[in-house]
Amino acid sequence: MPGAFWCIVEDDRAGNPKKVMAEVIGEAARLAAQAGGQAEAVWLTDKAAPEGVKLLGELGAARIWLLENPAFATYGGDFWAPVIAELAAKESPQAIFAPVTTRQREMMARLAARLGVGLSADSTALAIEDGKLVATRPVYAGKLLSKVTWSKGPWLATLRPNVFRPAEPKAGASAQVEKPTVSIPAAAAKLVERREEASTGLPELAEAEIVVSGGRGLKGPENFVILEALAKVIGAAVGASRAAVDAGWKPHRFQIGQTGRTISPKLYLGFGISGAIQHLAGMRTSKVICAINKDPEAPIFKIADYGIVGDLFEVAPLLTSEFKKLLEK
Ligand SMILES: Cc1cc2nc3c(=O)[nH]c(=O)nc-3n(C[C@H](O)[C@H](O)[C@H](O)COP(=O)(O)OP(=O)(O)OC[C@H]3O[C@@H](n4cnc5c(N)ncnc54)[C@H](O)[C@@H]3O)c2cc1C
């Protein structure tokens, strides 16, 4: 439908939309209201949970394009993008949004290429100006903010998590569910084996409201347990600098920065991280930054809201026990 602001659903692979969808749908609905359109969800899944469908409606999706097929149990940009492109060619949405996640990042780039339109990747603000979408996105490792617009639609953008105001679910609001028929191309790759990592019980890095991050100052992989203990108490996700990842202390998906993940939590706590420009590129939009470093000249203190000059091996356990006392009250 012209005027439709599509939101590609990122789910937990168990049939439920991820928390970040409240932000994507909230922003789509806000812009669509200005443009005289409506927010709609596009969901590729092997099985949508009824509560998941209900939630999308409550968050403000007026319509759900539900593409339920066993083929979508696995992600593949090579067959997801053509399916969405085919639907977009039939339905002519005004805009297509998705959260910045590993798979949507890739899928949206493929979709933009197929549709022959521009994509604003990692957008941090969106506005309708003179009837057109204008996106703000950080460039040059976050040193500059650039504003971009589109010469033709649909307007494609990925939205950085934890930046846009999430929609409040409205009890009773429901979406019209459409189940269109689409042709699904054969996947170029075959899934041979899937290994699910045992859950740490900690939140996902990109979605977490608090992130506790460790760098070379931790001195070894075994010392991440100190940060994990703190993270458990305050409900944080754990992240790492590239130095810690390159040393093999944590897998790459924990890396924050230019060549890792971009995060915008409410609170970022950096332990033994110097604050290289490439690290800042991934966390400088955090709402509150707190750095713990034994070197008072460490560059991270220049962007930190709070700084503790001290030995992380003393400070981290102290913070853990103090937070524990406070939060158990
Ligand atoms: C192209 C390119 C891309 C890159 N991408 C990334 C990226 O995505 N993410 C990223 O993080 N980096 C990235 N880097 C690397 C970046 O330049 C830095 O080398 C890296 O961020 C440094 O990591 P660090 O702060 O953990 O280590 P260091 O710079 O070595 O800092 C360690 C800090 O720990 C402090 N310290 C030591 N012991 C203690 C203690 N006991 N208590 C408290 N503090 C202590 C020290 O004072 C020091 O400040 C990239 C580099 C390049 C060239």
PDB file of all heavy atoms in Angstrom, residues 257-270:
ATOM      1  N   GLY A 257      32.858  -1.634  18.501  1.00  0.00           N
ATOM      2  CA  GLY A 257      33.710  -0.685  17.793  1.00  0.00           C
ATOM      3  C   GLY A 257      33.514  -0.708  16.294  1.00  0.00           C
ATOM      4  O   GLY A 257      32.603  -1.354  15.778  1.00  0.00           O
ATOM      5  N   GLN A 258      34.385  -0.011  15.639  1.00  0.00           N
ATOM      6  CA  GLN A 258      34.306   0.190  14.187  1.00  0.00           C
ATOM      7  C   GLN A 258      34.214  -1.129  13.421  1.00  0.00           C
ATOM      8  O   GLN A 258      33.489  -1.233  12.445  1.00  0.00           O
ATOM      9  CB  GLN A 258      35.561   0.942  13.760  1.00  0.00           C
ATOM     10  CG  GLN A 258      35.573   1.404  12.334  1.00  0.00           C
ATOM     11  CD  GLN A 258      36.910   2.064  12.025  1.00  0.00           C
ATOM     12  OE1 GLN A 258      37.466   2.782  12.840  1.00  0.00           O
ATOM     13  NE2 GLN A 258      37.437   1.811  10.846  1.00  0.00           N
ATOM     14  N   THR A 259      34.973  -2.124  13.852  1.00  0.00           N
ATOM     15  CA  THR A 259      34.941  -3.417  13.164  1.00  0.00           C
ATOM     16  C   THR A 259      34.201  -4.462  14.007  1.00  0.00           C
ATOM     17  O   THR A 259      34.385  -5.662  13.836  1.00  0.00           O
ATOM     18  CB  THR A 259      36.371  -3.893  12.835  1.00  0.00           C
ATOM     19  OG1 THR A 259      37.212  -3.650  13.969  1.00  0.00           O
ATOM     20  CG2 THR A 259      36.938  -3.152  11.650  1.00  0.00           C
ATOM     21  N   GLY A 260      33.382  -3.973  14.930  1.00  0.00           N
ATOM     22  CA  GLY A 260      32.587  -4.867  15.764  1.00  0.00           C
ATOM     23  C   GLY A 260      31.156  -4.374  15.828  1.00  0.00           C
ATOM     24  O   GLY A 260      30.617  -3.888  14.833  1.00  0.00           O
ATOM     25  N   ARG A 261      30.532  -4.474  16.994  1.00  0.00           N
ATOM     26  CA  ARG A 261      29.134  -4.073  17.163  1.00  0.00           C
ATOM     27  C   ARG A 261      29.042  -2.612  17.544  1.00  0.00           C
ATOM     28  O   ARG A 261      29.936  -2.056  18.170  1.00  0.00           O
ATOM     29  CB  ARG A 261      28.484  -4.896  18.294  1.00  0.00           C
ATOM     30  CG  ARG A 261      28.725  -6.379  18.238  1.00  0.00           C
ATOM     31  CD  ARG A 261      27.883  -7.064  17.208  1.00  0.00           C
ATOM     32  NE  ARG A 261      26.466  -7.047  17.564  1.00  0.00           N
ATOM     33  CZ  ARG A 261      25.876  -8.013  18.251  1.00  0.00           C
ATOM     34  NH1 ARG A 261      26.568  -9.041  18.707  1.00  0.00           N
ATOM     35  NH2 ARG A 261      24.567  -7.964  18.500  1.00  0.00           N
ATOM     36  N   THR A 262      27.924  -1.994  17.166  1.00  0.00           N
ATOM     37  CA  THR A 262      27.638  -0.622  17.589  1.00  0.00           C
ATOM     38  C   THR A 262      26.545  -0.703  18.640  1.00  0.00           C
ATOM     39  O   THR A 262      25.520  -1.329  18.402  1.00  0.00           O
ATOM     40  CB  THR A 262      27.145   0.203  16.384  1.00  0.00           C
ATOM     41  OG1 THR A 262      28.143   0.118  15.381  1.00  0.00           O
ATOM     42  CG2 THR A 262      26.927   1.652  16.760  1.00  0.00           C
ATOM     43  N   ILE A 263      26.787  -0.074  19.776  1.00  0.00           N
ATOM     44  CA  ILE A 263      25.804  -0.158  20.860  1.00  0.00           C
ATOM     45  C   ILE A 263      25.453   1.250  21.350  1.00  0.00           C
ATOM     46  O   ILE A 263      26.253   2.173  21.216  1.00  0.00           O
ATOM     47  CB  ILE A 263      26.336  -1.013  22.034  1.00  0.00           C
ATOM     48  CG1 ILE A 263      27.696  -0.467  22.546  1.00  0.00           C
ATOM     49  CG2 ILE A 263      26.490  -2.476  21.623  1.00  0.00           C
ATOM     50  CD1 ILE A 263      28.076  -0.998  23.902  1.00  0.00           C
ATOM     51  N   SER A 264      24.254   1.381  21.891  1.00  0.00           N
ATOM     52  CA  SER A 264      23.817   2.668  22.472  1.00  0.00           C
ATOM     53  C   SER A 264      23.084   2.412  23.775  1.00  0.00           C
ATOM     54  O   SER A 264      21.915   2.764  23.906  1.00  0.00           O
ATOM     55  CB  SER A 264      22.869   3.393  21.519  1.00  0.00           C
ATOM     56  OG  SER A 264      23.527   3.831  20.389  1.00  0.00           O
ATOM     57  N   PRO A 265      23.725   1.768  24.736  1.00  0.00           N
ATOM     58  CA  PRO A 265      22.984   1.469  25.968  1.00  0.00           C
ATOM     59  C   PRO A 265      22.738   2.730  26.806  1.00  0.00           C
ATOM     60  O   PRO A 265      23.325   3.778  26.534  1.00  0.00           O
ATOM     61  CB  PRO A 265      23.934   0.515  26.715  1.00  0.00           C
ATOM     62  CG  PRO A 265      25.296   0.906  26.240  1.00  0.00           C
ATOM     63  CD  PRO A 265      25.127   1.359  24.820  1.00  0.00           C
ATOM     64  N   LYS A 266      21.908   2.584  27.826  1.00  0.00           N
ATOM     65  CA  LYS A 266      21.690   3.708  28.752  1.00  0.00           C
ATOM     66  C   LYS A 266      22.954   3.934  29.563  1.00  0.00           C
ATOM     67  O   LYS A 266      23.263   5.048  29.937  1.00  0.00           O
ATOM     68  CB  LYS A 266      20.524   3.394  29.690  1.00  0.00           C
ATOM     69  CG  LYS A 266      19.190   3.505  29.005  1.00  0.00           C
ATOM     70  CD  LYS A 266      18.059   3.370  30.013  1.00  0.00           C
ATOM     71  CE  LYS A 266      16.728   3.491  29.302  1.00  0.00           C
ATOM     72  NZ  LYS A 266      15.669   2.789  30.002  1.00  0.00           N
ATOM     73  N   LEU A 267      23.662   2.843  29.874  1.00  0.00           N
ATOM     74  CA  LEU A 267      24.895   2.948  30.667  1.00  0.00           C
ATOM     75  C   LEU A 267      25.963   2.020  30.102  1.00  0.00           C
ATOM     76  O   LEU A 267      25.716   0.826  29.895  1.00  0.00           O
ATOM     77  CB  LEU A 267      24.595   2.574  32.129  1.00  0.00           C
ATOM     78  CG  LEU A 267      25.790   2.473  33.077  1.00  0.00           C
ATOM     79  CD1 LEU A 267      26.492   3.833  33.238  1.00  0.00           C
ATOM     80  CD2 LEU A 267      25.360   1.973  34.458  1.00  0.00           C
ATOM     81  N   TYR A 268      27.137   2.592  29.822  1.00  0.00           N
ATOM     82  CA  TYR A 268      28.286   1.804  29.346  1.00  0.00           C
ATOM     83  C   TYR A 268      29.373   1.900  30.416  1.00  0.00           C
ATOM     84  O   TYR A 268      29.754   3.005  30.839  1.00  0.00           O
ATOM     85  CB  TYR A 268      28.797   2.387  28.021  1.00  0.00           C
ATOM     86  CG  TYR A 268      30.170   1.861  27.626  1.00  0.00           C
ATOM     87  CD1 TYR A 268      30.299   0.773  26.768  1.00  0.00           C
ATOM     88  CD2 TYR A 268      31.335   2.456  28.111  1.00  0.00           C
ATOM     89  CE1 TYR A 268      31.548   0.282  26.411  1.00  0.00           C
ATOM     90  CE2 TYR A 268      32.584   1.971  27.765  1.00  0.00           C
ATOM     91  CZ  TYR A 268      32.685   0.886  26.924  1.00  0.00           C
ATOM     92  OH  TYR A 268      33.913   0.395  26.574  1.00  0.00           O
ATOM     93  N   LEU A 269      29.868   0.755  30.866  1.00  0.00           N
ATOM     94  CA  LEU A 269      30.957   0.734  31.857  1.00  0.00           C
ATOM     95  C   LEU A 269      32.171   0.080  31.205  1.00  0.00           C
ATOM     96  O   LEU A 269      32.123  -1.095  30.821  1.00  0.00           O
ATOM     97  CB  LEU A 269      30.545  -0.099  33.066  1.00  0.00           C
ATOM     98  CG  LEU A 269      29.435   0.469  33.947  1.00  0.00           C
ATOM     99  CD1 LEU A 269      28.663  -0.650  34.620  1.00  0.00           C
ATOM    100  CD2 LEU A 269      30.013   1.378  35.020  1.00  0.00           C
ATOM    101  N   GLY A 270      33.248   0.830  31.012  1.00  0.00           N
ATOM    102  CA  GLY A 270      34.440   0.297  30.336  1.00  0.00           C
ATOM    103  C   GLY A 270      35.562   0.055  31.332  1.00  0.00           C
ATOM    104  O   GLY A 270      35.995   0.981  32.026  1.00  0.00           O
TER     105      GLY A 270
END
